[in-house]
Amino acid sequence: MKRIPRVGLLGRAIPVVLAVATVASCSVASDLGDAAGGGRTSTSSPASGAAKAPATPGDPNPELARFYTQRPTWKSCESEDDDERAQAKAFRCATFTVPLDYSRPTGRTIDIAVTRKSAAKPGQRLGSLLINPGGPGGSGVTAAWWMSESTIGKPVQDVYDLIGFDPRGVDRSAPVKCMTDAERDAYVAEDLPEDPVRAEARAKERERAYAAECQSRSGELLPFVGTDNAARDMDVLRAALGDEKLNYIGFSYGTYLGATYAERFPTRTGRLVLDGAVDPAADNLNQAIDQQVGFDRSLRRFAEDCAGRTGCALGTDPKTAPRKAADFLDGLQEHPLVAGRGGRTLTSSLGWTGVISLLYGDKDTEWKYLRDALADAIVRRSPDALLFYADNYNGRDEQGHYDNSADAFVAIGCADGAGEAPTPAQVQAALARLKAEAPLLSRDVTAEDLTGENCESWPFRSPAKPHAIRAQGSAPILVVGTTGDPATPYASAEKLAGQLADATLLTFEGEGHTAYGGNSPCVDGAVEGFLLRGTMPPKGKRCS
């Protein structure tokens, strides 16, 4: 059984069997570029001031009014990380309260962490701009601190309050917890047996044990951490911030959260940007295959590029370089590398995770890091660099402590809907496509890897199913897709833009996951033109 890293989580992964559903996230950097020019102007307004929307989110339940009328109490932000603490100085932090179960608003409540950087030019303020970095499981609080420095353009921060929040189940907001640090260390490093029968048995054993640990430590939260509830929390936050409309930029999984909000509250949408789009109608199996194909192609392009550069550890032949990379990573199962410090071992699972993490990025920066890391491992037999990138992907700090992003990823994904087991015909079609289009990542994949019901061991059974989101009646929405995006393939952006009742697709012709934030002045100008003036880029706009 082939174990491939599960992609997502701000460039972090959970190595699991392929059959589990995957949606991905991002890391981005930014600067304001030239305006895209042309295009229609949205009639939507990012209205600021006192909340004018109804106090309740659809049904007239007066018991929800107390949540909608609350106002956060802002204070200094706290972090144990020195770098984060420096980034947070420009922000204020607070919590707001939401019902754990929206169908029982008088019952248990939870607190949602939120952070705010006020608009630099308050006299020109347009309102609040919420961000979600993806995952699911990425901290919006931490992301806001970093994105204020490297992603969100200064003209946007001049006129918007920048708002980050941790969705329920994530980090500072009633976090789901399933594993201890020691258990997670063993989990992410384990390579399943090569024998398919033993591998399948071990995979099921791991899944059952993991689900049981989650139930034991976070059982009361698990039914309520899904995306629909997070979208309802966003509407409470919108009102608590005093905004009539929600202005939002979501990356990767954040596009699904944003689309879900637009579906539930279409008349409360302001200016929504969905970058690195997830197709909400895709079934879990094909979404997983799409991602593996995307990363296989990205690895191939990287290796071919590497072969043309001096000192490439994969050789000088672009035809054989991709297979050399995959052979080395697969070979770590039989011949793992021991790190020089701490004695940790680079297994095949961790090696693939480190490589996948760097394929998220652009070829000018992350591809260079990947060339260097592979040279260290292949030529100098030092696994330290790949271990570092795998740790970053998995949410492990230098002290060996993990954040909860991996646990939140699984909990939210399963709460969003446990998919039905694919039919034998669907499995065979998926396997044939995987073998044909992702040969580097699928050498040992068997039909058994693709069977079974997603989240079959999970203690909570959600009735939700993948479906197209139309969001009829919403304000115009800007969808951004990257042609070389391995985590959320470009076709997903095309599909989401086609589903939404009022959406425009902006295309970035390039590599890496997501586009806005320093990858292209053309993309940055188009996105910020929409956020600042409501001007949509022309239909069919393509940037490079």
Side-chain angles (χ1 to χ4, degrees):
M1 178 179 284
K2 175 78 167 187
R3 293 180 62 244
I4 302 171
R6 175 191 230 166
V7 293
L9 304 171
L10 287 169
R12 298 170 185 171
I14 313 169
V16 292
V17 293
L18 180 62
V20 181
T22 57
V23 286
S25 173
C26 64
S27 58
V28 286
S30 168
D31 201 2
L32 176 64
D34 297 329
R40 64 192 178 99
T41 299
S42 167
T43 57
S44 67
S45 169
S48 60
K52 299 177 183 178
T56 54
D59 61 295
N61 186 347
E63 293 173 338
L64 287 170
R66 66 188 179 102
F67 299 105
Y68 273 75
T69 56
Q70 66 186 301
R71 291 293 181 266
T73 300
W74 300 98
K75 59 183 180 180
S76 298
C77 297
E78 298 179 356
S79 175
E80 296 179 359
D81 183 275
D82 291 340
D83 292 333
E84 285 185 1
R85 197 156 47 242
Q87 299 292 332
K89 286 183 178 179
F91 284 78
R92 304 286 285 174
C93 286
T95 61
F96 65 101
T97 302
V98 295
L100 175 65
D101 180 355
Y102 273 91
S103 69
R104 298 179 178 180
T106 60
R108 179 182 169 187
T109 62
I110 57 175
D111 289 336
I112 305 297
V114 60
T115 191
R116 178 180 71 182
K117 182 181 181 183
S118 297
K121 298 180 178 179
Q124 301 175 31
R125 181 179 178 276
L126 296 178
S128 304
L129 178 66
L130 274 65
I131 64 169
N132 180 274
S139 167
V141 169
T142 302
W145 296 345
W146 289 102
M147 286 184 178
S148 69
E149 295 291 325
S150 62
T151 304
I152 309 298
K154 182 179 180 300
V156 174
Q157 295 188 57
D158 282 344
V159 297
Y160 282 101
D161 294 344
L162 186 61
I163 305 292
F165 73 102
D166 289 349
R168 55 172 62 204
V170 176
D171 204 2
R172 301 166 181 84
S173 298
V176 171
K177 189 66 176 176
C178 301
M179 284 186 169
T180 66
D181 292 335
E183 289 169 339
R184 178 68 63 186
D185 261 345
Y187 189 85
V188 299
E190 182 180 359
D191 291 333
L192 293 181
E194 292 186 0
D195 177 70
V197 175
R198 292 176 56 215
E200 183 178 8
R202 175 58 184 151
K204 290 185 178 299
E205 180 185 9
R206 281 163 49 96
E207 291 167 9
R208 286 192 293 267
Y210 182 81
E213 289 296 316
C214 290
Q215 172 67 20
S216 174
R217 293 185 169 106
S218 300
E220 292 184 2
L221 287 171
L222 298 183
F224 306 108
V225 295
T227 298
D228 184 64
N229 278 328
R232 299 185 76 164
D233 295 343
M234 282 206 302
D235 198 52
V236 172
L237 177 56
R238 170 200 59 75
L241 293 170
D243 289 323
E244 180 182 354
K245 305 284 187 179
L246 180 85
N247 306 302
Y248 173 86
I249 180 165
F251 300 92
S252 196
Y253 160 79
T255 66
Y256 179 55
L257 177 58
T260 300
Y261 181 90
E263 179 180 47
R264 179 171 274 280
F265 307 107
T267 61
R268 300 180 195 174
T269 55
R271 295 172 184 171
L272 271 61
V273 178
L274 309 180
D275 184 4
V278 172
D279 175 11
D283 67 84
N284 292 329
L285 175 58
N286 282 299
Q287 190 175 66
I289 298 299
D290 286 344
Q291 285 194 328
Q292 304 315 318
V293 170
F295 276 99
D296 193 285
R297 290 174 178 171
S298 183
L299 178 59
R300 189 174 301 279
R301 289 192 296 268
F302 159 77
E304 291 169 350
D305 178 80
C306 178
R309 298 175 183 269
T310 303
C312 176
L314 305 176
T316 59
D317 186 351
K319 294 182 179 180
T320 60
R323 175 49 63 188
K324 284 186 177 181
D327 286 346
F328 166 74
L329 295 168
D330 286 341
L332 289 170
Q333 180 158 350
E334 293 295 325
H335 304 286
L337 295 178
V338 178
R341 57 181 184 183
R344 295 178 63 210
T345 300
L346 181 71
T347 61
S348 180
S349 181
L350 287 173
W352 273 108
T353 300
V355 168
I356 290 291
S357 74
L358 292 171
L359 292 177
Y360 272 87
D362 64 273
K363 63 188 301 182
D364 294 330
T365 304
E366 276 83 355
W367 282 17
K368 179 183 183 302
Y369 297 154
L370 182 50
R371 290 195 301 271
D372 292 344
L374 286 175
D376 281 348
I378 295 173
V379 179
R380 291 177 281 278
R381 310 303 293 173
S382 171
D384 289 351
L386 282 178
L387 275 173
F388 171 83
Y389 295 121
D391 286 348
N392 181 65
Y393 201 71
N394 287 327
R396 185 185 195 271
D397 65 19
E398 294 181 354
Q399 288 73 45
H401 301 308
Y402 287 85
D403 62 27
N404 93 309
S405 56
D407 291 334
F409 185 103
V410 177
I412 295 170
C414 288
D416 279 351
E420 297 177 355
T423 66
Q426 290 171 328
V427 168
Q428 290 302 320
L431 182 63
R433 182 181 168 221
L434 191 65
K435 294 290 188 180
E437 299 184 36
L440 299 178
L441 273 70
S442 67
R443 183 167 62 182
D444 299 325
V445 174
T446 67
E448 287 72 23
D449 297 336
L450 308 182
T451 58
E453 184 182 1
N454 295 308
C455 307
E456 61 182 342
S457 298
W458 203 246
F460 167 64
R461 313 299 296 165
S462 169
K465 302 293 182 185
H467 64 280
I469 291 180
R470 184 157 175 77
Q472 184 70 48
S474 77
I477 296 171
L478 178 59
V479 177
V480 186
T482 300
T483 56
D485 190 329
T488 51
Y490 177 69
S492 295
E494 292 181 303
K495 291 174 182 177
L496 178 60
Q499 292 170 24
L500 293 168
D502 192 350
T504 295
L505 175 62
L506 172 66
T507 300
F508 172 50
E509 297 176 339
E511 299 289 340
H513 184 39
T514 75
Y516 174 64
N519 292 302
S520 164
C522 172
V523 170
D524 293 350
V527 169
E528 294 179 2
F530 173 65
L531 289 174
L532 296 173
R533 298 178 294 278
T535 303
M536 277 290 186
K539 184 178 181 180
K541 177 72 175 179
R542 303 182 77 88
C543 295
S544 60

